[in-house]
Amino acid sequence: MKEPVLLKRVGKMTDSTSVEEYIKYGGFAALQKAVTMDREDILGELDTALLRGRGGAAFPLGRKWRHLYGSTDTPKYIVCNADEGEPGTFKDKLLLEKDPLSIIEGMLIAGYVFGSNDGYIYIRGEYRHIQAVFHQAVSNAQAAGYLGNKIMGIDGFDFQLHIVSGGGAYVCGENSALLNSVEGKTGRPRVKPPHLADVGLYLKPTLVNNVESLACVPAVINMGGEVFLQLGTKDGGGTKLICLSGHIKNRGIYEIQLGTPLEEILYSEEYGGGTSTGRPIKFCHFGGQSGPIGTSGQIKGCLYDYGDFWSHKLAVGSGAIVVMDDSVSIVDYITSVMEFFVHESCGKCTPCRLGTTRLLELLQNFQHHKGRPGDLERLEKMLEHITYLSACGLGQSVSVSVNSALAGYRDEFEACIS
């Protein structure tokens, strides 16, 4: 794309935590504009922008904000989910390290809209160096009058930002588990409803958004919802950060306009550049371990867009694209995916705790060509039970990658039955 939206400051600022440099490159202009707007107008711009949540669920951010806005209980809390634990996903890490003040600005706009005095950012425990960077950014913003009391001299605009270090649990990427962890409890998911917008942090109304989602908010306010929408498609506005990894020549993070042809992303030198091995692409795993696997046939003619992906039985998810060439066994790959889920299951509910373990054992039988007649049907039935009986999104999404692998490469699993 010609002009980046989210990455426009990355690589230009000599000190990513400097408020002076951030302002030089357009920082805090959105906040200054927002405080002159009616709060309903801000929500209207977000609705028009059709900014879908960038954490994976793709729920429209405007609708999520309106749910909290309609809550009459106080206080309200703003929480940023920076527990980036999805394998193949590393774009939030870039924003946290190279443009932390954009995230702070997004949280400040949310704080202004909801009259919230406290925000929390839950940063992945493994991002130890980045936590230090973010602490410095918060300190600099406070010293410059953009955090604390009477922000920008406005009476009643008070906002404190608290940094919480994650404990290294993938399940804490699930919003309710994250809130439990912030409260000092074990990071396990809550039963829903009630929704977090009604009963969230400390049982009060809470907004939880992903890093990239909050970094998009200043862009929406600056350019207007309609302009932001035009950067994408009718199914989702704006640009998207994607992570290319695996057997791809040009690994890294790219900002693309939604609606870009998937083949262009994978094969053009501007982005992926084809495989690093020179072999054909066999499949791509989209959106992280909990996302679907797309065959080479599904990739053809597909646009990187929420609606077009859904029509091809794919999902944008977190923005991860793990590319595998034709030397990779789908059985070996999906077994490694299940090993991850077994390791990261929090153990709260039996369907996920035991179900993922039994699935792994069954997949390992296929992996060693010890599958028996009826095992494929048994595998599918177990996936169905785990999906419908698990307490949270971890167990509920286990079936996505496995079922898509079965749909595209069932013959490889059948070949492992003795």
Side-chain angles (χ1 to χ4, degrees), residues 36 46 60 178 185 199-200 205 233 237 246 250 252 290 323-324 344-345 370 381 401:
T36 67
L46 292 172
L178 181 151
K185 302 172 184 174
V199 183
T233 71
N250 303 323
S290 56
V323 179
M324 293 286 112
E344 295 296 343
S345 174
K370 293 181 179 179
K381 183 58 69 175
S401 57

Side-chain angles (χ1 to χ4, degrees), residues 108 116-120 142 147-149 151 158-162:
L108 279 165
S116 173
N117 298 135
D118 288 281
Y120 293 80
Q142 189 151 3
L147 282 174
N149 298 324
I151 294 170
D158 307 327
F159 193 77
Q160 304 288 342
L161 184 51
H162 312 275

Side-chain angles (χ1 to χ4, degrees), residues 276-299:
S276 57
T277 61
R279 302 175 68 105
I281 292 177
K282 180 176 180 178
F283 62 85
C284 295
H285 200 168
F286 294 100
Q289 304 293 83
S290 56
I293 290 171
T295 66
S296 56
Q298 287 172 282
I299 291 167

Side-chain angles (χ1 to χ4, degrees), residues 66-186:
R66 282 193 181 278
H67 189 164
L68 182 68
Y69 191 71
S71 176
T72 56
D73 196 8
T74 56
K76 296 178 180 180
Y77 295 107
I78 311 301
V79 177
C80 176
N81 184 345
D83 190 61
E84 187 176 45
E86 194 72 69
T89 309
F90 38 90
K91 43 89 179 179
D92 288 350
K93 177 176 182 288
L94 180 68
L95 290 173
L96 289 163
E97 184 174 16
K98 300 299 184 182
D99 200 12
L101 289 164
S102 68
I103 304 160
I104 293 172
E105 185 174 8
M107 294 184 73
L108 279 165
I109 293 171
Y112 172 76
V113 169
F114 300 114
S116 173
N117 298 135
D118 288 281
Y120 293 80
I121 180 165
Y122 187 92
I123 303 179
R124 185 182 182 192
E126 291 86 345
Y127 289 172
R128 190 66 59 189
H129 163 67
I130 293 173
Q131 289 181 23
V133 171
F134 210 89
H135 270 286
Q136 188 61 54
V138 168
S139 178
N140 291 349
Q142 189 151 3
Y146 287 100
L147 282 174
N149 298 324
K150 291 186 67 174
I151 294 170
M152 299 189 302
I154 301 173
D155 287 329
F157 187 14
D158 307 327
F159 193 77
Q160 304 288 342
L161 184 51
H162 312 275
I163 300 172
V164 181
S165 176
Y170 170 72
V171 74
C172 286
E174 197 276 340
N175 289 342
S176 65
L178 181 151
L179 296 187
N180 278 345
S181 186
V182 170
E183 293 177 4
K185 302 172 184 174
T186 301

Side-chain angles (χ1 to χ4, degrees), residues 1 185 203 224 354 415:
M1 60 179 295
K185 302 172 184 174
L203 303 182
L354 295 183

